[in-house]
Amino acid sequence: MDRQTASATFPSAAAAVADARRFVRKVLADWGMEEAADDAVLATSELATNAIAYAGTSFEVSCRVEDGDIQVEVRDRHPTRGIEMPGVTASSGRGLPSIARLASSWGVSYDRRTKGVWFRLPRPGASNGAAPPGPFPDEAAEPGGPAPLRRAGDGGPALDGAPATGEGSPVRDGRSGRDGARTGSGPATKGREPRLGGDEIGEMPVAGDRLLRSPAAVEAMEDGVATVREALGAEGAAVLLTERDGRLIMGASAGTAAEIPLGELSVVALGPEARAGSPWVAHDTADPTAAALRARSLAAAPLESQGRLTGLVVAVSSASGRFEEADGARLGRLADEMSLSLEKARVGELERSWRGWLSFVAEASDLLAGTLDQERTMALVAQLVVPRLATWCAVYTVTDADAVKLAYVWHADENRADGLRELLDHAGAAPPMDVSAPWNGLATAPRDVRAAAGDTADDQAYAFPLIARGRRTGTIVIGRPSGDRFPRSAIELAEELSRRAALAVDNARLFSAQTAMSSALQRSLLPPGIPEIPGLEVAVVYEPAGEGSEVGGDFYDVFESGPQPGGPAPASRWRFAIGDVCGTGPEAAAVTGLARHALRILAAEDMSVPAVLTRLNRLILGEGERGRLLTLLHGEITARRRRDGVTIRLSSAGHPPPLVLDPDGGVREVASPQPLLGVFDGVDFHTDTVELRRGEVLLCVTDGVTERRSGGRLLGDGHGLEKLLAGCTGLSAGAVAARIQRAVRDFGPEPSNDDVALIVLRAS
């Protein structure tokens, strides 16, 4: 393999996405570029999924090093279908925006037969003097400043329990014992709030809802409060972080501030200095921040990023008038330095959370695409949600009658699962909705049911619609304990998962409906049963080649055709038929149904075997382009008066000739070849008569038996079937059928790609 280029082709199947990821990771590992593998694998996974979901064709993945960069391209074979853009034309996913956040550049290329989407990543270790790309490359960063940030809905959510890549991991308990400093804990996500201007709310942008929890952020805040105490000689210092709703929470604290609960403090309560982005000094507890920290004097300065308030850094004292204006100015300079450090840590968290978000979504997409069973899909959705995003999850589906049904319930605590299901059964059904929203259905359950459910009855819930292809298929409801509110990141990730889950559930629903319909139609094409024929053992074998099929191009039938003319009343005649329609699948099955039902109808009209073949030939020719070539062996069975066997009059229209096995092991062909059906009009068919005496066996097969392949050999080569039948001397009809069936299966290492049918008649 050339060290600079590598490519591989993958089929249009769900498992191919994982194979494509492994291919890209191995190529980059072979090239010594493992550092770029995570981003390349995630981006490849998105593009491969798009190729399967939207193009529906096989696809090629190629990797190469070009101009010092790594370029990966996923090329499918459907160039006329456009790229789906979320928010514009796409019904789900974040495909190409996700690529834009991972790659330094990307694009689409076309030729006459294929369409390719490519992306580039910088070679690991390459330095071009440019700042590393932030998680949102579509906004420009200020020179020398941190990477720009957008609203939380455009960023990747950082989640407890969500997969993550890169160095470091979120600090989950939120405490550190270093120098008595304390860091806050709880969800925090970046957002925008109105700015405060003058006496009105509406001007100050707030950075909200994303708590800095990485080791780098914790260390920066702890170092900051230590520096503030030392520089200002303060008794205590703290870093307060701004949440999305405008509340200020404790990020880190030291000294006397570490012992004080912050209480309720919001951006709205801050004074005019904070509104202007300037440091300030308070000499008494009239200042809201000083009152919240129980300080008699305070110096504070805002932490800002890109004009947005991300928090405050404060120094506190128990003495009135402790700080001067010069202390405020010094604290302002320290806050500017700390803002840069915290923003760098914030960008690092966003990078890791984006990778974790994409990794989780990619793996979830693979899992959801890997099954077409509706019940299993809904169970998988719930288990993906719990415990990553919520404590419990319920999946509601909409039936054909538009009734809402609780289909699946999953709780992180198995002991509470039954109580939760009982609670949801008695609660109001999840309402139809177009957008995600809080859900208060648990409150509608009867009091005794709520009491039996315990604390679960007070859980807060959030509902997400399942909408696919413009059709509502159900609702996902997730819940958390009361007081454990849903962070914005969890809601966004659940929304993304619900979009993908909706498609997966709808695909499974459609597949189940089509399978049920197909099975019903297929069963209608199979004979209802094999009649008992006096003096004759009958055994049949039927194996369609299509996966999940019950009928294909081969068919058989054995049925009673009426009393023997001029004979006593109990005597009857029977017909049998075995045929092979050219091709497999639904088209062949349609001709199968035509042939089998026509045979019964025409035989009931007391038409002779040759007349039945003539009429059926005309019917197939009358189908025009829908008609298929058909080989058919059709015969009539009559009992012999001395009951020492049966007489069979049969015609072989292009079908493999039937074989007769004598009791002494001899095998012979017993029908002359005639034209197959569906080719020529005006064909005159005739019958051959076989006197099947006691102990003799008549074997009729389709070419799925004689043409069973093993490498370059066929089972029928060199009189293979005759030799196989000769070894069945003395066996019953059922034993003969079973032996030939086993021989066909064992003849080649691969499953047969043709339908198999055989009829065994043994005179007894």
Side-chain angles (χ1 to χ4, degrees):
M1 181 179 67
D2 187 342
R3 183 176 174 79
Q4 300 303 311
T5 63
S7 63
T9 301
F10 302 92
S12 178
V17 178
D19 293 338
R21 290 203 304 266
R22 285 191 289 269
F23 167 73
V24 171
R25 188 176 295 279
K26 182 179 185 304
V27 168
L28 295 184
D30 291 343
W31 291 352
M33 300 178 182
E34 294 93 335
E35 294 179 24
D38 285 342
D39 287 350
V41 164
L42 288 172
T44 301
S45 182
E46 286 293 317
L47 296 181
T49 301
N50 283 348
I52 293 173
Y54 299 120
T57 69
S58 61
F59 61 94
E60 180 186 29
V61 179
S62 60
C63 307
R64 65 176 177 270
V65 176
E66 184 172 306
D67 298 330
D69 290 341
I70 301 168
Q71 179 165 315
V72 179
E73 183 178 36
V74 176
R75 181 166 291 275
D76 62 60
R77 308 188 187 283
H78 202 310
T80 60
R81 193 171 296 183
I83 295 296
E84 302 285 347
M85 296 299 296
V88 182
T89 60
S91 60
S92 67
R94 292 177 179 262
L96 298 183
S98 300
I99 303 303
R101 287 167 171 80
L102 288 171
S104 59
S105 61
W106 66 274
V108 183
S109 62
Y110 290 88
D111 59 29
R112 295 182 62 183
R113 296 184 178 180
T114 63
K115 175 185 84 270
V117 183
W118 57 267
F119 62 89
R120 285 190 179 183
L121 300 171
R123 182 199 294 263
S127 177
N128 55 12
F136 308 107
D138 48 342
E139 292 186 6
E142 294 183 1
L149 302 177
R150 295 201 312 189
R151 63 182 179 85
D154 294 331
L159 267 189
D160 291 345
T165 58
E167 297 178 1
S169 59
V171 178
R172 295 190 58 174
D173 82 355
R175 291 185 177 270
S176 171
R178 201 171 80 84
D179 295 333
R182 182 168 63 89
T183 60
S185 62
T189 320
K190 193 168 52 50
R192 295 195 178 189
E193 290 289 343
R195 186 177 184 84
L196 296 173
D199 295 329
E200 296 180 356
I201 301 174
E203 296 276 331
M204 182 180 290
V206 177
D209 215 37
R210 181 181 297 281
L211 181 63
L212 294 166
R213 299 180 294 181
S214 67
V218 171
E219 184 177 0
M221 289 188 290
E222 291 175 349
D223 289 346
V225 295
T227 301
V228 168
R229 288 188 64 194
E230 181 180 352
L232 274 64
E235 298 173 23
V239 172
L240 310 182
L241 300 176
T242 311
E243 287 198 295
R244 178 180 175 81
D245 58 7
R247 290 187 303 117
L248 290 167
I249 61 174
M250 190 72 74
S253 58
T256 56
E259 307 299 329
I260 304 299
L262 187 59
E264 292 294 330
L265 180 63
S266 68
V267 172
V268 177
L270 299 180
E273 294 87 354
R275 299 169 190 162
S278 303
W280 76 94
V281 174
H283 300 290
D284 53 43
T285 56
D287 183 89
T289 308
L293 293 172
R294 301 179 186 177
R296 294 185 179 275
S297 59
L298 169 145
L303 297 171
E304 292 185 316
S305 171
Q306 304 294 315
R308 299 188 298 270
L309 180 67
T310 61
L312 301 174
V313 56
V314 298
V316 298
S317 175
S318 60
S320 300
R322 169 66 182 77
F323 301 105
E324 300 177 355
E325 295 301 324
D327 294 320
R330 179 180 296 181
L331 187 60
R333 291 191 293 272
L334 293 174
D336 290 342
E337 296 175 3
M338 191 181 302
S339 293
L340 292 176
S341 299
L342 292 180
E343 193 60 25
K344 182 179 179 181
R346 189 190 303 273
V347 170
E349 288 189 14
L350 287 171
E351 291 276 7
R352 285 191 295 274
S353 66
W354 254 110
R355 291 190 177 97
W357 183 88
L358 289 172
S359 177
F360 172 73
V361 171
E363 295 296 332
S365 297
D366 279 356
L367 291 171
L368 291 172
T371 176
L372 287 174
D373 180 271
Q374 189 170 0
E375 297 294 331
R376 185 176 299 176
T377 301
M378 291 185 291
L380 188 57
V381 169
Q383 293 175 33
L384 284 168
V385 169
V386 179
R388 290 177 178 88
L389 309 180
T391 306
W392 56 264
C393 177
V395 182
Y396 291 84
T397 57
V398 178
T399 64
D400 293 336
D402 291 331
V404 178
K405 173 187 175 184
L406 179 60
Y408 194 83
V409 176
W410 185 256
H411 198 291
D413 184 351
E414 294 184 3
N415 295 325
R416 297 193 176 194
D418 291 340
L420 174 62
R421 175 174 284 278
E422 182 74 10
L423 182 65
L424 292 171
D425 281 337
H426 289 82
M433 53 175 53
D434 295 325
V435 295
S436 56
W439 182 66
N440 299 318
L442 297 182
T444 64
R447 183 176 300 176
D448 57 335
V449 176
R450 289 174 53 83
D455 295 341
T456 304
D458 297 322
D459 284 0
Q460 54 182 325
Y462 220 93
F464 304 87
L466 294 176
I467 300 175
R469 302 178 179 94
R471 180 182 183 274
R472 192 182 315 280
T473 60
T475 307
I476 296 177
V477 178
I478 64 176
R480 286 191 174 196
S482 176
D484 184 10
R485 68 184 185 85
F486 288 98
R488 182 66 183 173
S489 53
I491 294 173
E492 289 169 353
L493 190 51
E495 286 174 343
E496 178 65 26
L497 185 61
S498 67
R499 284 190 286 268
R500 298 181 182 237
L503 283 175
V505 170
D506 196 48
N507 288 340
R509 181 190 63 82
L510 291 174
F511 180 79
S512 298
Q514 290 173 357
T515 300
M517 179 177 63
S518 176
S519 297
L521 291 174
Q522 288 171 348
R523 284 192 296 271
S524 71
L525 300 178
L526 295 175
I530 303 300
E532 293 186 4
I533 302 176
L536 194 67
E537 299 176 16
V538 182
V540 298
V541 169
Y542 183 74
E543 292 183 348
E547 182 179 355
S549 296
E550 295 183 24
V551 69
D554 290 9
F555 70 95
Y556 71 92
D557 202 358
V558 181
F559 56 94
E560 185 174 350
S561 61
Q564 182 177 0
S572 296
R573 292 173 288 122
W574 295 266
R575 295 281 181 102
F576 71 93
I578 184 168
D580 185 359
V581 179
C582 178
T584 59
E587 295 83 1
V591 179
T592 296
L594 170 66
R596 197 181 71 78
H597 292 297
L599 284 169
R600 289 203 171 210
I601 294 172
L602 296 175
E605 295 296 323
D606 203 25
M607 296 180 67
S608 66
V609 170
V612 167
L613 266 62
T614 299
R615 181 68 63 86
L616 183 57
N617 184 47
R618 292 175 182 171
L619 287 173
I620 295 175
L621 288 171
E623 289 289 301
E625 295 182 356
R626 296 183 302 171
R628 294 294 184 98
L629 303 182
L630 170 64
T631 70
L632 180 66
L633 177 65
H634 181 40
E636 183 178 65
I637 304 168
T638 56
R640 295 166 61 89
R641 294 186 181 276
R642 290 178 294 177
R643 299 190 180 277
D644 59 348
V646 295
T647 298
I648 300 175
R649 294 177 179 85
L650 53 81
S651 295
S652 177
H655 201 79
L659 302 176
V660 171
L661 170 65
D662 297 331
D664 59 1
V667 177
R668 67 184 188 277
E669 292 182 1
V670 291
S672 57
Q674 301 179 65
L676 73 167
L677 306 182
V679 179
F680 306 109
D681 196 5
V683 178
D684 292 326
F685 294 97
H686 64 270
T687 58
D688 296 293
T689 301
V690 179
E691 299 291 346
L692 196 66
R693 300 184 181 278
R694 186 176 293 131
E696 291 185 329
V697 174
L698 177 70
L699 173 64
C700 311
V701 302
T702 59
D703 60 7
V705 175
T706 57
E707 296 180 4
R708 175 71 165 106
R709 183 175 294 277
S710 177
R713 292 189 308 118
L714 301 179
L715 187 146
D717 289 348
H719 302 287
L721 182 60
E722 289 84 343
K723 295 175 182 177
L724 180 61
L725 181 60
C728 298
T729 303
L731 299 181
S732 65
V736 172
R739 177 171 293 189
I740 294 176
Q741 179 185 26
R742 184 169 60 251
V744 172
R745 289 178 176 176
D746 297 343
F747 186 73
E750 300 294 331
S752 176
N753 59 2
D754 195 3
D755 302 331
V756 171
L758 60 91
I759 297 177
V760 178
L761 305 177
R762 181 179 183 274
S764 59

